[in-house]
Amino acid sequence: GKVTNVKGANFYAQLPTTPENLFIASNTSSNGALIHNDAEGKTGATVQMYSKAFGTDDGKGNVSNAVWQWVTTPYNDHQEVLHNYYGAWMFEYVNANHGWTHQLYNSSTMDPFHAYAITSGAKRTYTMDGTLASTGNQTIDLAYTSGKSINMVGNSWTAPINISKFEPGDFQNAEASIILFNTGLDATGEGGAATGDADESPATYLTIPVKVAAEMAGVTTIISSMQAFQVNATAANPSITLNYDRLVRTEGSVNLKPMRAPSRAAAEEDNESGINEKLRIWVKGKRYSDFIYLFQHDDATNGFDNGYDGLKYLSDNWDIPMLMADMGNQFWQVSTQPALVGTQLAFMQGEDTEYT
């Protein structure tokens, strides 16, 4: 028989399954999800992914004014792009080059847990088939050049990753923070911090230090299935480890919305992080808004505490207000200090003169 999404259902299937009898559907508001137990990679499935990315097709094979979506493949069988993404424009983020430097063509193949940018002439649903990525733990080598080297990784599992379940030890020579972008970058690269009211805006982002992720009320701190995300390397031989049982098979990984960095969510009631005071400061203008998180932890330092502090990324669009913790030589979007009193803030005004 054929199994399609059944909310909350458990079922047993003899491996290998095929794309003809296992279908993970999506719609314009959410991805379907399948949590399974196949470390050998024998689960065949048809998977749908709705993409909000679009651009202007000039009819000659070129795209302009594009909004890009940062994605990955849910499959491990290295299929050609033409098989599942006909009519799309795609680039691969090459960590060694720290950029979207590899353009994909019809015969190009895709690798699980790599990051890709995709757009098309219109918003659309991609229906794909293949053998799902293994649920075995993944240690992914990153690249380091100097300073804070940007790397991109993809969640190739057909279920969301709960960022609060990461441990600092999962990040070797890398910041223990996940940076999510909503629908990738727009054509100009403009954007600001992700907010609850602006979650449809291209290029909005959210920095989520893993040790305070559960404390970040007002946003959903998950990595959706087939979403790519940013990790910053800080020294040679960096890597990130994805533990399926801890990150996916856990309460809280329930948000299925594709490629949404921010959305309102209920605050967690428990306090396993050791945070004893917290504050979100939000400035809201007519078109744009921004916010920062401030946390107090008895064991925090006044310097950068990996897993507790997150960097601020400044926009090139000066119409956007930008609020940040001013740490002297760095700006932070998330700041954890031994005391909230005395934290110095910086603000760039943007296009408005009055904010709420």
Side-chain angles (χ1 to χ4, degrees), residues 81-342:
V81 169
L82 179 63
H83 182 71
N84 287 323
Y85 301 96
Y86 178 78
W89 290 272
M90 299 187 73
F91 285 83
E92 179 181 6
Y93 191 92
V94 180
N95 285 334
N97 299 334
H98 304 299
W100 303 98
T101 56
H102 179 209
Q103 185 171 2
L104 303 188
Y105 299 95
N106 289 344
S107 60
S108 301
T109 58
M110 299 177 68
D111 295 308
F113 304 99
H114 286 219
Y116 301 90
I118 189 171
T119 195
S120 178
K123 301 175 183 180
R124 57 184 284 197
T125 297
Y126 296 90
T127 300
M128 307 166 283
D129 64 81
T131 304
L132 296 181
S134 164
T135 60
N137 295 344
Q138 305 289 326
T139 295
I140 300 164
D141 291 331
L142 307 175
Y144 176 75
T145 303
S146 62
K148 297 184 184 298
S149 298
I150 294 175
N151 290 259
M152 297 294 296
V153 179
N155 174 16
S156 284
W157 292 321
T158 53
I161 288 174
N162 187 338
I163 296 174
S164 69
K165 300 302 180 181
F166 273 108
E167 297 175 354
D170 295 332
F171 302 81
Q172 296 297 313
N173 296 328
E175 290 180 1
S177 293
I178 301 296
I179 298 98
L180 298 179
F181 284 81
N182 181 37
T183 327
L185 291 175
D186 62 5
T188 63
E190 298 174 352
T195 73
D197 281 350
D199 63 348
E200 299 300 320
S201 300
T204 54
Y205 76 92
L206 186 62
T207 300
I208 307 171
V210 300
K211 293 297 291 183
V212 295
E215 300 290 336
M216 295 178 68
V219 295
T220 300
T221 53
I222 61 96
I223 304 169
S224 300
S225 61
M226 296 173 283
Q227 180 173 8
F229 56 95
Q230 178 180 324
V231 179
N232 294 332
T234 57
N237 302 314
S239 66
I240 181 175
T241 296
L242 306 179
N243 183 305
Y244 190 85
D245 284 344
R246 174 158 40 85
L247 299 178
V248 175
R249 294 181 182 279
T250 181
E251 294 182 5
S253 299
V254 295
N255 187 309
L256 308 178
K257 290 187 176 181
M259 313 304 154
R260 304 293 189 272
S263 68
R264 287 182 172 81
E268 302 252 349
E269 296 298 328
D270 56 358
N271 185 23
E272 298 179 356
S273 63
I275 299 297
N276 48 49
E277 295 289 344
K278 55 188 175 182
L279 178 65
R280 182 169 78 153
I281 304 175
W282 192 353
V283 293
K284 187 173 182 180
K286 295 178 180 178
R287 291 200 301 160
Y288 301 108
S289 59
D290 197 9
F291 62 75
I292 62 171
Y293 283 94
L294 302 178
F295 297 108
Q296 181 174 301
H297 192 295
D298 291 340
D299 296 329
T301 70
N302 291 317
F304 186 87
D305 296 315
N306 201 20
Y308 289 87
D309 297 314
L311 295 177
K312 178 77 175 185
Y313 292 89
L314 300 181
S315 172
D316 292 331
N317 183 354
W318 296 103
D319 290 337
I320 297 174
M322 287 174 271
L323 181 65
M324 64 215 82
D326 187 350
M327 307 309 296
N329 61 345
Q330 287 183 330
F331 296 126
W332 297 353
Q333 185 186 20
V334 182
S335 175
T336 304
Q337 301 293 315
L340 292 184
V341 176

Side-chain angles (χ1 to χ4, degrees), residues 3-6 8-14 17 21-23 33-36 43:
V3 177
T4 307
N5 297 19
V6 180
N10 295 321
F11 65 91
Y12 298 89
Q14 183 176 354
T17 60
N21 58 29
L22 183 56
F23 192 94
L34 173 68
I35 299 174
H36 60 105
T43 304

